[in-house]
Amino acid sequence: MEVKLAEGWKSRLAPEFEKEYFKNLTDFVRQEYRVGRVYPAGANIFRALDACPPERLKVVIIGQDPYHGPGQANGLCFSVNAGVPAPPSLQNIFKELSADLGQPIPTSGDLTRWAEQGVLLLNAVLTVREHQAASHQGKGWELFTDAVVHTIAREKSGIVYLLWGAYAQRKAGFVDRERNCVIESVHPSPLSAHRGFFGSKPFSRANEYLVSQGKEPIAW
């Protein structure tokens, strides 16, 4: 698998690429792309890491797996390309953003602007078959993205972790809360958003912490 990602990540994660699980994962993913429709496009599999190099990292947001509908997944969790209607969870993220910061709901669901400011939008699983949610879970991606989160936790402090839902909270459950800011709530899915995501003010709280650390806040 041709791994296109920022050099800072490539050097840190090089040991993972040599492990047996990653070689098996590579074989599986290549075969999946050969025989069917898989998202995101191959060039965007590692886009979350490529768009947010470690030296720029300020905020970590963890999703589960990519959108599985045509034209949706673009390699950043919760994000869709400009012109693509925002899926329900992203609609709720934007509703809370607007209520929290008193600004208009964004017109584009493309979150590249967040990534470029240091927000790592990392799905736990980086590929999916069309119309088959969770179809690439348990194939090795979770081990790889665990390595990413462990690397961040080991090397960096003063990072904001926005952990929405039990899955994300488990994924980063080991993060040192004394050295970082961990903001948790239920998932923004329509099934759960009314049970504590709305009103949680994650965006203003994240920026308050970043400012307290002497960092530029995110222009959400």
Side-chain angles (χ1 to χ4, degrees):
M1 192 188 306
E2 176 57 34
V3 178
K4 181 184 183 298
L5 72 165
E7 191 55 45
W9 289 120
K10 190 175 284 190
S11 58
R12 285 168 170 83
L13 297 170
E16 297 302 306
F17 303 141
E18 301 305 316
K19 291 181 179 178
E20 191 67 22
Y21 87 83
F22 196 86
K23 294 175 183 177
N24 293 336
L25 172 63
T26 297
D27 291 342
F28 168 77
V29 170
R30 281 182 174 147
Q31 178 66 9
E32 288 283 285
Y33 275 92
R34 273 196 294 268
V35 302
R37 289 185 183 274
V38 176
Y39 301 123
N44 287 333
I45 292 174
F46 296 96
R47 186 166 171 233
L49 294 166
D50 196 46
C52 181
E55 58 271 17
R56 196 187 297 156
L57 180 65
K58 297 177 182 177
V59 179
V60 176
I61 298 177
I62 297 174
Q64 200 152 348
D65 64 346
Y67 296 124
H68 54 82
Q72 291 183 305
N74 66 8
L76 308 176
C77 75
F78 295 108
S79 176
V80 292
N81 287 326
V84 176
S89 290
L90 183 56
Q91 290 179 31
N92 286 339
I93 289 169
F94 284 169
K95 286 177 186 175
E96 177 60 20
L97 172 62
S98 178
D100 184 5
L101 300 180
Q103 63 190 46
I105 289 177
T107 56
S108 171
D110 185 354
L111 303 182
T112 302
R113 62 189 181 277
W114 293 5
E116 290 174 343
Q117 296 177 78
V119 181
L120 179 64
L121 294 156
L122 184 69
N123 277 315
V125 176
L126 300 187
T127 54
V128 68
R129 283 184 210 143
E130 184 176 56
H131 301 314
Q132 295 185 48
S135 51
H136 286 186
Q137 287 186 12
K139 303 297 184 181
W141 279 130
E142 294 93 339
L143 296 173
F144 176 75
T145 53
D146 278 351
V148 173
V149 181
H150 277 279
T151 297
I152 297 167
R154 183 173 64 249
E155 292 192 10
K156 293 187 171 290
S157 58
I159 300 295
V160 178
Y161 292 82
L162 297 182
L163 305 180
W164 297 330
Y167 188 95
Q169 290 158 20
R170 288 194 301 272
K171 186 85 172 169
F174 55 86
V175 169
D176 186 342
R177 293 169 184 250
E178 298 291 319
R179 299 171 59 239
N180 301 279
C181 175
V182 178
I183 299 173
E184 297 178 319
S185 78
V186 299
H187 195 276
S189 158
L191 298 175
S192 56
H194 290 279
R195 300 202 309 268
F197 177 74
F198 291 136
S200 62
K201 300 186 179 296
F203 306 102
S204 60
R205 291 163 67 192
N207 277 352
E208 286 167 9
Y209 179 79
L210 292 173
V211 170
S212 78
Q213 299 294 302
K215 299 177 182 179
E216 280 288 317
I218 304 296
W220 300 104

